[in-house]
Amino acid sequence: MQSIRAIPSRLLITSAALALAVAGPLAAQEEPEPAEESSATAASSGGYDTLGDLNLEIPGLGPDDPIINQEEFDLANEIYFQRCAGCHGVLRKGATGKALTSDLTRELGYDYLQSFITYGSPAGMPNWGTSGDLSEEEIDVMARYLLLDPASPPEWGMEEMRESWKVVVAPEDRPTEKMNDIDIDNLMSVTLRDAGQIALIDGGTYEIHAVIETGYAVHISRISASGRYLFVIGRDARVNMIDLWMETPATVAEIKVGMEARSVETSKMEGWEDKYAIAGAYWPPQYVIMDGDTLQPLKIKSTRGMVYDEQSYHPEPRVAAILSSHYRPEFIVNVKETGKILLVDYTDLENLQTTEIEAERFLHDGGLDSTRRYFITAANARNKLVVIDTKEGKLVSITDTEGLTPHPGRGANFVHPDHGPVWATSHLGDESVALIGTDPEGHPDKAWKITETFYALGGGSLFIKTHPESENLYVDATLNPDEEISSSVAVFKIPDMKEGEDPPFITLPIGEWAGIEDGQPRVVQPEFNRDGTEVWFSVWNAKDLESAIVVVDDKTLELKKVIKDERLVTPTGKFNVYNTRADIY
């Protein structure tokens, strides 16, 4: 393995894509979404399961509207939900991705849209055409679809939630003690995106203990404070509550909280462990607090309202990241489009009290610093990091990352040799990594400032990761249009970092190590085992092609294991039970 300097991704794309990228009216992708097919799993009693399943009428066609029939419109609506809505919004008003309302798309024109969808950009827009994910016919339909006004889906309230709510195993019928010999703390919950499932894989033996039906394209897995229950939420807004104590772990309750969603969390404050769960929806824009034993919906709160700075009404302020405070009985709720962070006090749901912090627009993902006191989150389309003191319940700082479209996941905490404790994010829009100081007591001159920016493999990074027991920092480039870059990972040696110097990195050819010959597999989301001795990578291929999980020895950076199984369909996110529960990243 050889230490190399990054080759800017802008030099590795076609000239057509480069021209489009320079023009740049469209924007980066929010999360990994290159799925081969777009079939969602049946999830609830609502008659439809995802926004892509809705048979919406074509918005009134005028004499200047593109010709599109109902069958094509339904196909385009399904593709848009699968691949585009996460960034650009259900109503196409933009967030991580630019707005795609018809006044803007018609100015760009059909040819521009068709080319941009085909070639993508180094700012994180996937190359849907040249990668083979969309056919020429599908790209043609999408370009015409984007010239139309967006259709508005129906609402989803308490009546619909209650109809979808199921208690599969009542609390009194569940085990009173652990009934299996699984090392739960070292269990990996792995999203099988296009199968609508998760796989529970043993972090020690690499055995698949269970494959569980879930919502479509599970976005995250979260663990109850007790460590017993696993909560997952699909992009179709279906929440599964899985009992890890059962002889074979299985769903004990489920609910559908909307038609598109990203976030779920449980109460962690001492004295409130496992009492409540919360889920946030993209559509309708709202969050719901549920009973922690049964997922019974208790309180729904809409997030529609005024944008913090412009004081203009926004119809679709989506709920992005949700974290649970360790210092107060509160949920921390990011409201993307209005730029507000809500501290939701769950001690009295009938008299719900919420602290509303004006932060920055387009809030997305983020995580806690190493002390778990400070919440650091990306306002990605504004290229900023927002810091909240969860102990005092107030805004601390808003800082420019100096990079384009930060996308940290939960981020990465480590001690820099010169800067002390820092938290790191990579970026969708360029190849940079930014470090922000997190030690106001020991390093006050560096606290909440960007202390260093350096370069990794290329734009299109989704996740960055380290571990308290590791000396390595891993950065993926999943959505980079260059095949070699998107199938590799950059590794930085933390002890060798020096202030003012760009650290070299080692490139791990994870895709090559997986031994997959067909398709364009992308490597996504480094995740450590509990002890921090191994790091796992998803090698994510098309639904009908082989995928894998590659395990690397953190000390030697050598291949340790390739996990292949016909049940591993499009693996993406991986979540170690202990690290996720304890907020270690």
Side-chain angles (χ1 to χ4, degrees):
M1 293 177 292
Q2 183 179 2
S3 197
I4 64 169
R5 292 287 302 134
I7 301 174
S9 57
R10 59 183 175 272
L11 301 179
L12 297 169
I13 56 176
T14 66
S15 59
L18 176 60
L20 293 168
V22 172
L26 301 183
Q29 194 72 4
E30 173 206 35
E31 63 173 66
E33 298 191 8
E36 173 68 15
E37 297 181 12
S38 49
S39 59
T41 58
S44 77
S45 58
Y48 41 76
D49 301 306
T50 71
L51 290 173
D53 294 331
L54 296 178
N55 294 319
L56 301 174
E57 292 186 6
I58 303 174
L61 289 174
D64 297 326
D65 287 336
I67 297 174
I68 191 169
N69 60 39
Q70 188 66 51
E71 182 179 357
E72 291 174 325
F73 184 81
D74 292 342
L75 171 63
N77 185 60
E78 187 173 7
I79 292 173
Y80 184 82
F81 166 76
Q82 299 292 345
R83 296 170 163 86
C84 315
C87 269
H88 300 287
V90 173
L91 302 180
R92 307 208 316 245
K93 290 184 174 293
T96 306
K98 298 289 187 180
L100 293 174
T101 50
S102 59
D103 59 322
L104 301 173
T105 57
R106 291 182 185 184
E107 184 176 342
L108 294 171
Y110 170 88
D111 289 340
Y112 184 99
L113 296 170
Q114 190 270 344
S115 295
F116 201 89
I117 295 169
T118 300
Y119 294 106
S121 86
M125 173 73 176
N127 51 324
W128 298 117
T130 55
S131 68
D133 287 301
L134 292 180
S135 67
E136 291 183 10
E137 292 76 15
E138 288 172 324
I139 291 172
D140 165 64
V141 170
M142 289 306 299
R144 287 185 280 135
Y145 170 83
L146 292 176
L147 295 171
L148 297 169
D149 291 332
S152 183
E155 299 296 315
W156 189 275
M158 184 60 80
E159 180 180 355
E160 290 82 4
M161 286 191 200
R162 285 177 174 161
E163 287 180 359
S164 73
W165 172 48
K166 301 174 185 176
V167 179
V168 181
V169 182
E172 61 269 22
D173 296 328
R174 297 171 195 167
T176 57
E177 60 183 15
K178 187 169 171 283
M179 302 298 291
N180 58 58
D181 60 358
I182 299 171
D183 182 2
I184 289 178
D185 274 352
N186 202 23
L187 197 62
M188 294 281 190
S189 174
V190 179
T191 296
L192 306 180
R193 187 188 191 278
D194 290 288
Q197 300 171 330
I198 63 161
L200 298 180
I201 304 180
D202 194 299
T205 66
Y206 314 118
E207 173 189 357
I208 299 177
H209 287 296
V211 174
I212 300 171
E213 299 293 328
T214 63
Y216 174 74
V218 163
H219 189 66
I220 57 172
S221 298
R222 291 292 175 259
I223 313 299
S224 66
S226 67
R228 172 173 182 171
Y229 293 110
L230 170 68
F231 295 79
V232 300
I233 189 165
R235 290 194 58 205
D236 57 1
R238 176 182 173 184
V239 179
N240 286 70
M241 179 180 178
I242 298 164
D243 188 351
L244 300 178
W245 278 15
M246 297 173 70
E247 186 173 353
T248 300
T251 294
V252 293
E254 65 179 57
I255 191 172
K256 190 169 164 59
V257 300
M259 282 173 282
E260 188 177 1
R262 294 295 188 278
S263 49
V264 68
E265 182 60 286
T266 67
S267 52
K268 292 183 177 178
M269 182 65 184
E270 184 178 356
W272 295 87
E273 297 93 338
D274 297 12
K275 175 71 173 177
Y276 294 117
I278 182 175
Y282 268 24
W283 189 270
Q286 60 194 25
Y287 63 86
V288 57
I289 298 175
M290 301 162 286
D291 180 84
D293 282 332
T294 65
L295 295 184
Q296 177 186 358
L298 303 174
K299 175 76 72 172
I300 303 173
K301 294 293 290 183
S302 172
T303 53
R304 290 186 172 103
M306 311 305 286
V307 178
Y308 88 96
D309 52 354
E310 295 179 353
Q311 292 296 292
S312 58
Y313 178 76
H314 199 293
E316 191 191 349
R318 299 171 291 173
V319 177
I322 300 178
L323 275 77
S324 190
S325 173
H326 294 269
Y327 286 85
R328 291 152 57 132
E330 292 177 338
F331 293 120
I332 307 161
V333 179
N334 273 359
V335 184
K336 185 183 287 281
E337 281 77 10
T338 53
K340 298 174 182 178
I341 297 175
L342 309 180
L343 306 181
V344 181
D345 185 328
Y346 48 72
T347 59
D348 185 355
L349 298 189
E350 291 184 0
N351 301 283
L352 192 69
Q353 296 188 42
T354 301
T355 300
E356 183 178 285
I357 299 175
E358 295 185 349
E360 182 56 277
R361 296 177 69 182
F362 311 120
L363 296 163
H364 187 54
D365 214 348
L368 300 171
D369 78 309
S370 59
T371 70
R372 303 192 301 186
R373 173 174 175 172
Y374 297 96
F375 174 52
I376 310 166
T377 185
N380 52 23
R382 290 288 177 90
N383 306 318
K384 297 182 185 298
L385 296 178
V386 177
V387 182
I388 301 295
D389 184 340
T390 68
K391 183 178 181 180
E392 299 295 332
K394 64 181 182 181
L395 176 70
V396 173
S397 172
I398 300 177
T399 305
D400 195 315
T401 70
E402 302 176 9
L404 297 176
T405 322
H407 193 286
R410 288 292 176 105
N413 289 301
F414 62 92
V415 179
H416 188 282
D418 297 321
H419 302 305
V422 297
W423 180 93
T425 181
S426 55
H427 293 77
L428 269 170
D430 64 25
E431 54 267 40
S432 68
V433 173
L435 310 183
I436 185 171
T438 61
D439 184 17
E441 304 262 338
H443 298 77
D445 57 324
K446 299 178 184 294
W448 319 128
K449 300 175 183 177
I450 299 300
T451 62
E452 203 79 52
T453 297
F454 51 83
Y455 296 102
L457 275 173
S461 176
L462 290 171
F463 296 102
I464 186 169
K465 186 71 71 171
T466 189
H467 187 278
E469 299 300 320
S470 174
E471 294 185 343
N472 297 318
L473 178 68
Y474 297 84
V475 185
D476 67 22
T478 311
L479 296 184
N480 195 283
D482 181 80
E483 183 174 349
E484 184 175 353
I485 290 177
S486 66
S487 64
S488 301
V489 170
V491 187
F492 295 87
K493 291 291 185 181
I494 294 171
D496 295 339
M497 293 181 177
K498 296 180 180 179
E499 183 175 2
E501 296 184 12
D502 285 348
F505 59 81
I506 296 167
T507 301
L508 301 186
I510 302 295
E512 178 183 327
W513 286 351
I516 295 174
E517 298 181 356
D518 298 324
Q520 184 181 338
R522 301 169 186 262
V523 173
V524 62
Q525 195 178 28
E527 177 72 353
F528 278 86
N529 63 351
R530 173 181 173 158
D531 296 333
T533 58
E534 296 176 354
V535 58
W536 294 35
F537 301 91
S538 293
V539 183
W540 166 32
N541 211 351
K543 181 179 180 180
D544 60 345
L545 298 176
E546 185 179 47
S547 292
I549 292 173
V550 169
V551 182
V552 173
D553 186 298
D554 178 65
K555 298 297 183 186
T556 65
L557 298 183
E558 294 177 351
L559 174 65
K560 191 167 184 179
K561 178 73 174 179
V562 177
I563 305 173
K564 290 184 178 180
D565 190 290
E566 62 182 10
R567 294 171 290 176
L568 293 181
V569 177
T570 58
T572 52
K574 300 165 300 305
F575 302 88
N576 174 267
V577 165
Y578 179 80
N579 293 337
T580 302
R581 172 165 59 89
D583 289 304
I584 294 174
Y585 33 80

